[in-house]
Amino acid sequence: MSAKAEAFAAELTLARLGGKAAMQALAEDHLPLVGAMVARFPWHGREREELYQQGVVGLMKALRRFDPARGVAFTTYAAAMILGEMRMLSRLNAPLH
C-alpha cells in the first residue's frame, strides 16, 4: 500500500470513529469526484443537480463501505459507487414507453 493510500486509510478510520461531522468533512474533500462523475454521465434530460445529489449519496455509501485492505484506490471504488447511484436514479425515473 502506498503512503498516500495508508494516509487515507488512517484518515478514514479516524473519520469513522469521529462521527458524523468527521465523515462529512472527509466527504467534502471528495466532492470534486462527484462533480467529475456528473460531467461524464449521460444524463438524458435529468437535472444535473439531481444527479449530483444522488452522486453524493453514492460517495457517502463508498465512505461507509470502503475497505482499504483490499488494495483498491478509494477513488476507483467511489467512482463506481457514485455512477451506480446515478444509474439507479435514471432507471427509477425513466419514462415508460
Side-chain angles (χ1 to χ4, degrees):
M1 189 180 303
S2 71
K4 185 177 179 179
E6 287 179 13
F8 177 76
E11 187 178 3
L12 180 61
T13 301
L14 288 174
R16 286 176 177 168
L17 295 173
K20 197 174 191 178
M23 284 296 279
Q24 183 177 355
L26 188 57
E28 287 174 2
D29 291 343
H30 290 87
L31 286 178
L33 179 62
V34 176
M37 296 295 103
V38 169
R40 68 178 268 212
F41 190 80
W43 46 291
H44 303 293
R46 309 277 342 147
E47 293 291 327
R48 287 185 181 265
E49 182 62 31
E50 195 174 12
L51 287 171
Y52 188 85
Q53 289 173 355
Q54 198 66 28
V56 172
V57 170
L59 175 62
M60 295 306 293
K61 284 183 179 182
L63 285 169
R64 283 193 303 269
R65 297 176 182 174
F66 180 67
D67 181 8
R70 293 191 177 241
V72 176
F74 174 73
T75 53
T76 302
Y77 181 79
M81 294 288 288
I82 292 166
L83 287 173
E85 287 294 318
M86 289 179 189
R87 283 186 197 108
M88 185 175 65
L89 175 69
S90 293
R91 273 185 252 133
L92 289 175
N93 295 324
L96 299 174
H97 294 281

